Amino acid sequence: MTASDSLPLTATRRFPPGFLWGAATAAYQIEGAAAEDGRTPSIWDTFARTPGKVFEGHTGDVAVDHYHRFHEDVRLMADLGLTAYRFSVSWSRVQPTGRGPAVQKGLDFYRRLVDDLLAHGIEPVLTLYHWDLPQELEDAGGWPHRATAERFAEYAGLVAGALGDRVGRWTTLNEPWCTAFLGYGSGVHAPGRTDPVAALRAAHHLNLGHGLAIQALRAALPPRAQMSVSLNLHELRPLTSAPEDVDAVRRIDAVGNRIWLGPMLNGAYPEDLLRDTAHLTDWSFVRPGDLTDINQLLDTLGINYYTPTVVAASHEGAEAPRNDGHGASAYSPWPGSEDVAFHQPPGERTAMGWAVDPTGLYDLLLRVAGEHPGLPLLITENGAAFEDEVAADGSVHDPRRLAYVHGHLEAVHRAIEDGADVRGYFLWSLLDNFEWAYGYAKRFGAVHVDYQTQRRTPKSTAHWYARVARSGELQAIDAVSDAVSDAV
């Protein structure tokens, strides 16, 4: 389906009643207070201090100081009409060594945050893990080590015991593909290891940690609590219709998507993934009972989407550049399919170099809805980085970001019309923040942050998104400029 097949672009699109309008953040990217109240280093603290790993040596030590400014940020969310806020808990802040009892000062921060959200009518959506493993657990082996999955389940139980009376929506992992394959495969994310077998082991133990955490959460939480995981599923397209390019899609789909969907939703790893990686490992780290533990009932599935991925077979004698949008490295994050070539689609790009293509989100939602009928979906991340400028009057106009979000919300609405049960949309990100290996050089926020003064300034996108959230209606793009002018 294309835009021309959908409702006329002049039409107003109304989202279903109860649709969640949210924004998302992650602990290390916004909190700061890296050494306060008992918090100890995570792998991202260590990685950011390693010369050459993060742009200009930036760290999350201060970030956007959300730890001290969360009241201001919650008021900002309320002003923007958000009905939900997706945030992550810092494992190092709650359980500094990854073992033993929780630090109450760490839990108290999240108690205060959640209470403030609820007081403003904003539903908290909690993510347990957004890439910030306590460094002590990495020193003991990290995610390639089975014990980390067991420690994760214990940590989940601690957080549930503290916040289960306040939080109704729980997410185990955010983008485990990035944790496993950028962290342990290509090394462009923390902890910076470059071992394809370790990456595959990490993937399995992330799956196992997810399943064990779901069990721990269900044991500690009321029956009404909603369980989820957020996956950055890759919308894959072959460069040509040639069989070898179609097979390249299959290979990347196996190690990018079905390595999670298979065990989490179907209770099995795909056979073609095991064949593609047989020269690397025999997968003996998968023990009897693991797949049953991983295959836990989910109430929703979170999908993170930014851009489609175009792949082709590598041709003998020709270089196969890994232009996959996941950072420069001599090591591949695609174990077993290192020779697949990646190609950037034509057209407009964001500051990350990613193609702007909302049809990829539509296609992805319809695929997941078709393969897993009856499973409600959430868009848990979607957004774009662009170069923002502060005008002389202090305002920040970001028409390209606004158009990006508008186009993707249209795609979500079309998917709902065509049968996908999408329950909400979380804009990435609420605030400009520490963008991992890019440091503070890339801005995804709907709200501009002056990193010197920590002043928050809602951008045009934020004002427009507030109107959409309050009305539940998406007006045609030609009406957006008027809406923004009225709101600013």
Side-chain angles (χ1 to χ4, degrees):
M1 181 177 184
T2 65
S4 61
D5 301 319
S6 62
L7 288 175
L9 294 181
T10 56
T12 295
R13 302 173 183 275
R14 178 174 291 278
F15 283 79
F19 191 85
L20 292 177
W21 294 100
T25 63
Y28 188 72
Q29 293 182 272
I30 67 166
E31 284 182 3
E36 292 188 34
D37 295 334
R39 185 186 180 279
T40 58
S42 73
I43 56 175
W44 267 98
D45 294 276
T46 303
F47 189 77
R49 285 177 170 76
T50 304
K53 295 298 186 183
V54 174
F55 177 76
E56 293 189 350
H58 294 173
T59 75
D61 287 358
V62 177
V64 297
D65 199 29
H66 177 73
Y67 190 76
H68 300 111
R69 297 172 182 264
F70 73 91
H71 287 301
E72 174 187 354
D73 292 338
V74 172
R75 289 196 302 271
L76 188 59
M77 295 178 218
D79 290 344
L80 296 179
L82 300 188
T83 58
Y85 172 53
R86 178 175 175 253
F87 64 96
S88 75
V89 172
S90 167
W91 193 344
S92 301
R93 194 178 298 287
V94 167
Q95 194 187 33
T97 66
R99 301 177 179 83
V103 173
Q104 290 305 311
K105 285 186 176 181
L107 287 174
D108 285 345
F109 167 70
Y110 297 105
R111 290 185 179 106
R112 293 192 301 269
L113 170 62
V114 168
D115 287 347
D116 207 13
L117 290 168
L118 294 173
H120 285 82
I122 300 168
E123 182 173 3
V125 180
L126 187 152
T127 299
L128 286 166
Y129 187 76
H130 199 130
W131 307 353
D132 46 356
L133 186 72
Q135 183 61 46
E136 285 201 26
L137 288 185
E138 174 59 25
D139 293 342
W143 283 109
H145 189 49
R146 185 182 188 87
T148 303
E150 297 164 350
R151 300 290 81 75
F152 181 63
E154 294 169 5
Y155 156 68
L158 290 176
V159 180
L163 298 173
D165 60 337
R166 298 164 166 89
V167 176
R169 293 182 185 269
W170 295 76
T171 301
T172 55
L173 306 170
N174 179 77
E175 298 186 353
W177 184 88
C178 294
T179 297
F181 297 115
L182 301 184
Y184 295 93
S186 68
V188 300
H189 278 193
R193 290 162 63 176
T194 54
D195 179 347
V197 177
L200 291 168
R201 291 177 63 91
H204 175 64
H205 295 134
L206 284 156
N207 276 325
L208 180 61
H210 157 80
L212 295 177
I214 292 286
Q215 295 176 60
L217 291 172
R218 292 209 185 275
L221 296 172
R224 65 180 182 278
Q226 301 281 296
M227 302 293 131
S228 188
V229 65
S230 287
L231 305 177
N232 58 315
L233 298 177
H234 301 78
E235 171 53 29
L236 296 159
R237 295 168 177 177
L239 182 65
T240 74
S241 59
E244 58 267 29
D245 288 356
V246 173
D247 189 61
V249 167
R250 178 201 62 76
R251 296 178 71 94
I252 299 302
D253 186 56
V255 75
N257 296 333
R258 289 181 286 119
I259 193 171
W260 316 110
L261 295 172
M264 287 184 182
L265 300 183
N266 299 326
Y269 283 105
E271 289 295 329
D272 58 329
L273 171 69
L274 305 184
R275 290 195 303 270
D276 291 345
T277 57
H279 63 291
L280 295 171
T281 177
D282 61 3
W283 289 76
S284 58
F285 46 80
V286 180
R287 297 183 184 177
D290 281 2
L291 290 167
T292 299
D293 282 333
I294 295 168
N295 183 210
Q296 299 297 309
L297 178 67
L298 293 179
D299 300 290
T300 60
L301 175 67
I303 294 176
N304 297 354
Y305 171 87
Y306 293 92
T307 187
T309 301
V310 177
V311 299
S314 176
H315 297 286
E316 186 176 355
E319 292 186 4
R322 191 174 49 77
N323 191 13
D324 62 3
H326 293 296
S329 173
Y331 300 90
S332 172
W334 308 100
S337 295
E338 295 88 349
D339 58 345
V340 170
F342 290 78
H343 299 264
Q344 287 297 313
E348 183 185 8
R349 300 185 189 280
T350 70
M352 298 291 288
W354 299 342
V356 177
D357 188 348
T359 67
L361 179 55
Y362 171 86
D363 291 341
L364 184 59
L365 290 172
L366 266 291
R367 171 194 170 172
V368 175
E371 292 179 355
H372 304 282
L375 179 60
L377 308 176
L378 291 171
I379 309 303
T380 41
E381 286 185 25
N382 177 244
F386 290 107
E387 302 295 335
D388 297 321
E389 294 185 6
V390 180
D393 64 359
S395 62
V396 183
H397 296 286
D398 58 340
R400 294 179 67 193
R401 181 177 293 105
L402 195 158
Y404 177 101
V405 178
H406 185 282
H408 286 77
L409 282 174
E410 279 198 324
V412 172
H413 192 275
R414 294 201 308 271
I416 292 172
E417 286 186 314
D418 291 342
D421 185 8
V422 185
R423 302 287 181 89
Y425 176 92
F426 291 81
L427 178 64
W428 184 270
S429 175
L430 175 69
L431 302 160
D432 289 336
N433 56 40
F434 177 84
E435 188 49 44
W436 307 114
Y438 295 96
Y440 298 97
K442 306 296 183 185
R443 293 180 178 268
F444 277 85
V447 176
H448 180 273
V449 179
D450 182 322
Y451 296 126
Q452 299 302 313
T453 66
Q454 297 293 351
R455 180 181 179 183
R456 275 82 159 132
T457 303
K459 305 173 189 178
S460 298
T461 295
H463 292 294
W464 166 78
Y465 188 65
R467 176 168 288 198
V468 176
R470 290 192 179 98
S471 67
E473 293 182 350
L474 184 68
Q475 294 182 338
I477 192 67
D478 57 7
V480 167
S481 59
D482 292 338
V484 171
S485 297
D486 292 341
V488 174

